[in-house]
Amino acid sequence: MAAPKARALGPEEKDECMKIFDIFDRNAENIAPVSDTMDMLTKLGQTYTKRETEAIMKEARGPKGDKKNLGPEEWLVLCSKWVRQDDEEEILRAFKVFDANGDGVIDFDEFKFIMQKVGEEPLTDAEVEEAMKEADEDGNGVIDIPEFINLMRRSKSELMRD
């Protein structure tokens, strides 16, 4: 499989990519470990040979870049290869990233991690629980793919109204 071609990212796409970068930047050092990045690509359904992976990472980090970590600009180069116009596909890819244990649902702890990373202010457990209840349409205590798609679409339409 050939690596996808990079394309220019719009401001909203850059913001979304940087929110994901922040999740991988666990120690707030402004870096995303390459090993985590490759794990993310696997979760997003991207499978490449070792040679393809090395070429992708080399392109993202440049000839003199750190071989173990990606900085924000390098992350955006990498991200630009996977951002697509198709909303649902993009949402599904995000779901796979946020479903940290890969069980097909987002539980409270995964949802809390997401909310803490993408929010501007830290949320209390009660606030996260309330947001989770709103997203969990069938009340089973987890967010499945259809619920996540609905949540993302509602969030996007609310942002467009503001």
Side-chain angles (χ1 to χ4, degrees), residues 64-139:
K64 297 180 181 179
D66 181 344
K67 292 185 184 216
K68 293 186 179 186
N69 300 295
L70 295 176
E73 291 303 315
E74 297 160 327
W75 178 266
L76 288 174
V77 170
L78 181 67
C79 193
S80 70
K81 293 175 166 288
W82 286 277
V83 172
R84 294 188 175 93
Q85 298 295 341
D86 186 347
D87 236 11
E88 191 164 316
E89 185 175 328
E90 185 175 320
I91 292 170
L92 290 173
R93 289 183 300 141
F95 180 88
K96 288 178 181 178
V97 171
F98 298 141
D99 176 19
N101 63 7
D103 65 356
V105 295
I106 298 173
D107 62 27
F108 178 81
D109 290 333
E110 291 166 327
F111 191 69
K112 180 179 177 181
F113 183 77
I114 295 164
M115 297 298 287
Q116 298 293 3
K117 281 298 199 174
V118 299
E120 294 172 15
E121 296 179 21
L123 300 175
T124 65
D125 281 358
E127 291 170 322
V128 173
E129 190 173 310
E130 184 63 34
M132 178 122 181
K133 282 181 185 175
E134 187 177 317
D136 179 18
E137 297 167 0
D138 61 11

Side-chain angles (χ1 to χ4, degrees), residues 42-67:
T42 300
K43 286 182 179 181
L44 295 176
Q46 307 296 328
T47 54
Y48 298 100
T49 66
K50 184 176 180 182
R51 179 179 288 158
E52 289 169 331
T53 300
E54 289 170 356
I56 291 166
M57 298 312 287
K58 183 177 180 182
E59 181 181 347
R61 68 176 175 263
K64 297 180 181 179
D66 181 344
K67 292 185 184 216

